[in-house]
Amino acid sequence: GTVPVTAVDQQVRRMLDKSGRGNHMIQPVLASAPFLRQNANGTLCLRCDGSNDWMYSAANFNLSSTDKVSIFTGIKKTGSATAIVIEHGTSFVDNTRVFYVVAGTDAVFVNGYTSAARGSGVVSSRQVSSFQNLPPPHTAVISATHNIPGDLSTIRVNGVSGTNGAADKGEGNFGNYVLYIGRRANSSLPFDGDIHGMIIRGALSTASEIASSEKWMNGKTLAY
């Protein structure tokens, strides 16, 4: 993480947070570092190999002051296996007050994208927002929002709304955990595909904020 990437096909071991909040992502192990790639459309991306490529926040990603979160990412999935795109905490099973975005099949939601969050409730209280039947290869700009006290999770894929999750999430704010991209805490569910960008806000985005964030992300991703 000390020598800047200067060209495609080099491995990325550090990504700086553009927000100024210091939420940098790292990968100290060279064999697990994703590659900087350039797609046929000319856009740059972080390519994960579906095996052992992943990154994580250098310090805990602290969301303990908020019970709401908005997530935006642009990806191209090339594999069909269930895979972590983004996860807050080591796993949805082990940690409370966390969220994730998954590509692939999640429970009964087939071959698409899902996002879930839980507060203080048990794992079964999670409510998954979903967009189904989008098999790989598929390029997507994904927007997800989670509201713990409002018991609502939403998802949009390429500007189209999916199915909401709307049952009890428990209580409390989100937690103070490491943020992972491309794999579940170096243990399972590796992502096979490209990641073009990511925004995480400790707030519920308005309709206009969602639209502008999707437009910005699509400028990097060229999904639609």
Side-chain angles (χ1 to χ4, degrees):
T2 59
V3 179
V5 170
T6 58
V8 296
D9 298 329
Q10 295 178 349
Q11 285 177 277
V12 178
R13 299 178 71 179
R14 183 177 178 90
M15 290 195 304
L16 299 181
D17 175 15
K18 293 183 178 182
S19 75
R21 293 174 173 83
N23 293 310
H24 309 310
M25 306 296 290
I26 61 171
Q27 178 48 268
V29 179
L30 182 62
S32 296
F35 283 82
L36 181 71
R37 301 293 197 198
Q38 188 171 28
N39 284 339
N41 58 23
T43 60
L44 294 172
C45 59
L46 195 69
R47 180 155 300 165
C48 299
D49 65 2
S51 175
N52 64 344
D53 291 351
W54 60 292
M55 300 188 81
Y56 61 95
S57 56
N60 279 6
F61 199 91
N62 190 356
L63 291 168
S64 59
S65 63
T66 182
D67 53 16
K68 301 172 180 65
V69 70
S70 301
I71 309 154
F72 304 92
T73 188
I75 67 171
K76 179 180 179 181
K77 63 172 180 175
T78 53
S80 59
T82 303
I84 292 293
V85 179
I86 306 165
E87 185 160 41
H88 190 219
T90 56
S91 85
F92 208 85
V93 175
D94 297 333
N95 302 137
T96 58
R97 305 180 298 128
V98 291
F99 60 84
Y100 66 62
V101 176
V102 161
T105 299
D106 186 359
V108 299
F109 305 106
V110 177
N111 217 358
Y113 306 98
T114 57
S115 189
R118 65 185 281 212
S120 61
V122 297
V123 174
S124 60
S125 71
R126 67 178 177 173
Q127 285 300 303
V128 179
S129 54
S130 66
F131 208 112
Q132 300 188 68
N133 300 317
L134 297 173
H138 187 265
T139 305
V141 170
I142 303 169
S143 304
T145 67
H146 299 290
N147 182 343
I148 292 175
D151 294 324
L152 181 63
S153 294
T154 71
I155 193 168
R156 285 164 55 92
V157 174
N158 294 342
V160 180
S161 296
T163 301
N164 292 343
D168 183 19
K169 288 179 171 52
E171 300 176 344
N173 291 346
F174 285 98
N176 183 17
Y177 299 107
V178 171
L179 183 76
Y180 298 89
I181 61 174
R183 200 176 188 197
R184 170 166 283 171
N186 192 27
S187 63
S188 61
L189 306 180
F191 177 65
D192 184 1
D194 303 336
I195 300 173
H196 289 268
M198 187 179 304
I199 303 168
I200 298 174
R201 297 186 65 214
L204 281 185
S205 296
T206 65
S208 61
E209 288 169 342
I210 289 172
S212 63
S213 298
E214 289 174 342
K215 181 178 179 180
W216 183 86
M217 193 64 70
N218 193 46
K220 289 179 166 292
T221 311
L222 302 182
Y224 62 102

